[in-house]
Amino acid sequence: MKILVTGARGMVGTALVNNLKNIRDGKNKTRPNLCIEDIFEYDLGDEKMLDAYCSKCDFVFNLAGVNRPENPEDFMKGNFGFASTLLETLKKHGNKAPIMLSSSIQATLAGRFGNSEYGRSKKAGEDLFFDYGKENGVKVAVYRFPNLMGHSRPKYNSAVSTFCWAVANDEPFTVNDRSTELELLYIDDLVEGMFDLLEGKECHCEFDGVETVPQADGRFCFVPVTHKVTLGEIVDLLQEFKAQPATLMIPKMPDGSFAKKLFSLYLSYLPKEKFKYVLKMNVDDRGSFTELVHTLDCGQVSINISKPGITKGNHWHNSKWEQFIVVSGHGLIQERNINTGEFVEFEVSGDKIEAVYMIPGWTHNIINLSETENLVTVMTCNEIFNKDRPDTFFEVVKE
């Protein structure tokens, strides 16, 4: 399959082309039914190049469009005018390749609840594509996208991008109304929707007012995964992300959640000097202990370094439990039940990485058996350490 992508340098075009290349080059094996031979990347300019691409392509993603022209009348020229040129060029070559059109929810509002030049130009483009498909027997897939969420130019046409950039770079920003709700489509979900389209598995809908209504034979297509969030929720999450290097707290980010996607987008705006941050090492004569990550519901992760011959621990917990995972060095973990006296020990090494539970009610320690090397242990705990309620009581494991 040879695929033409117009608007290939925009936010959507860049992401789509990068991921189409992953499939073409065999790096992404999640879509075994897709066989991509060539990807033609086109941005406005060279009409001879467009002519050549239109003569050879097997599928067209028309993502080209105008968002912020100097003159409002340029909306129609950029969004409708290029669409006309593209379709006429395909028609000239007798190319009946399926074609996708990137439209906007604003097209729904055109002539109904508003008189936006942008919305009218998108609506005109939709009508043009539907007529083209009907007259020429070509499959046409028109998507009315909501607000898109991906790495794009700040202070341009995405409030989310602007907020991410501002918070990451310590720049001022304004939220006029925290209660304003946006429906957001994340760029990775959009790309997956485009792969579904290539495989003939796209979702169809009609529009009831401005709502998407799934419908098996609907006129429009849509990507089913979107998120409705308020501006207040967005900026509050971004402030949590910004504080994370100091608090170590990772906000809850369930799989597929808006928070998970926003965190990835936020990180893409970090200046290079913020890629790295310092962790507080608690150092003494025995070695060091450093907390790495805190979570709201799964406790914390730390790294413990014990110098040669050093024993650490010799304490027990009522409810707290831990895992010790030695990743470098040679050590011994000992545990004793404080009530029954039962005793167990495990020789551990970075050469064979294993996890050992520290059981509630069992006093435990970890001993560096090496005379020359540090013992490095990753320690997970089911709760964040609270100095006011430490649940940690000294008791030697073995005299």
Side-chain angles (χ1 to χ4, degrees), residues 14-28:
T14 298
L16 180 60
V17 167
N18 287 341
N19 284 280
L20 287 170
K21 288 177 179 178
N22 284 339
I23 292 178
R24 180 196 65 188
D25 299 340
K27 298 176 182 177
N28 180 351

Side-chain angles (χ1 to χ4, degrees), residues 44-60:
L44 298 179
D46 191 338
E47 291 190 5
K48 289 184 178 179
M49 182 182 294
L50 179 65
D51 187 82
Y53 290 163
C54 285
S55 70
K56 296 182 287 187
C57 65
D58 303 307
F59 195 100
V60 181

Side-chain angles (χ1 to χ4, degrees), residues 56-313:
K56 296 182 287 187
C57 65
D58 303 307
F59 195 100
V60 181
F61 287 104
N62 183 36
L63 308 175
V66 175
N67 292 313
R68 291 285 184 93
E70 292 184 6
N71 301 308
E73 58 267 23
D74 288 339
F75 276 124
M76 194 64 73
K77 179 180 177 181
N79 292 329
F80 178 81
F82 173 75
S84 300
T85 300
L86 173 64
L87 297 182
E88 285 300 321
T89 308
L90 289 167
K91 190 174 180 180
K92 181 183 80 171
H93 291 287
N95 190 337
K96 295 183 180 293
I99 185 165
M100 171 267 180
L101 172 65
S102 170
S103 187
S104 167
I105 193 69
Q106 292 299 318
T108 312
L109 305 177
R112 187 177 297 181
F113 302 109
N115 197 27
S116 148
E117 290 289 344
Y118 175 73
R120 290 199 321 203
S121 69
K122 286 296 189 181
K123 180 66 168 61
E126 292 177 357
D127 293 341
L128 181 70
F129 269 69
F130 284 130
D131 290 343
Y132 170 81
K134 184 177 181 180
E135 292 170 4
N136 296 279
V138 172
K139 177 180 178 179
V140 169
V142 176
Y143 285 77
R144 283 181 170 176
F145 291 134
N147 296 285
L148 301 182
M149 173 182 159
H151 191 95
S152 61
R153 189 193 327 169
K155 298 183 178 181
Y156 184 57
N157 64 344
S158 169
V160 179
S161 291
T162 299
F163 292 152
C164 286
W165 168 81
V167 173
N169 290 273
D170 305 311
E171 295 286 345
F173 63 92
T174 301
V175 179
N176 293 323
D177 183 354
R178 286 176 53 88
S179 66
T180 298
E181 185 179 72
L182 300 179
E183 181 180 6
L184 294 164
L185 170 59
Y186 184 52
I187 189 65
D188 286 6
D189 295 322
L190 190 158
V191 169
E192 290 300 317
M194 297 304 95
F195 289 167
D196 286 342
L197 174 61
L198 286 174
E199 291 184 337
K201 300 187 298 186
E202 70 275 12
C203 297
H204 291 267
C205 69
E206 286 297 340
F207 283 86
D208 177 14
V210 296
E211 293 297 322
T212 302
V213 182
Q215 190 170 317
D217 57 351
R219 193 180 190 205
F220 296 91
C221 298
F222 73 106
V223 178
V225 182
T226 62
H227 302 273
K228 291 185 177 181
V229 291
T230 65
L231 295 181
E233 290 170 335
I234 293 169
V235 297
D236 288 348
L237 275 172
L238 290 173
Q239 295 296 352
E240 288 186 53
F241 300 159
K242 182 177 182 177
Q244 188 272 328
T247 65
L248 304 182
M249 182 64 70
I250 302 292
K252 286 187 177 181
M253 292 185 287
D255 189 39
S257 67
F258 173 76
K260 182 178 180 180
K261 297 167 186 177
L262 184 65
F263 199 6
S264 295
L265 182 59
Y266 165 78
L267 290 176
S268 74
Y269 285 94
L270 281 181
K272 291 187 289 295
E273 59 270 20
K274 288 189 178 183
F275 284 15
K276 179 179 73 170
Y277 58 92
V278 176
L279 294 168
K280 180 185 177 184
M281 296 180 66
N282 301 289
V283 182
D284 59 25
D285 292 340
R286 302 173 301 159
S288 66
F289 180 80
T290 306
E291 296 178 33
L292 305 179
V293 169
H294 291 176
T295 68
L296 291 167
D297 53 358
C298 296
Q300 68 181 44
V301 180
S302 308
I303 193 85
N304 182 78
I305 300 176
S306 300
K307 291 183 177 180
I310 291 296
T311 298
K312 285 190 174 183

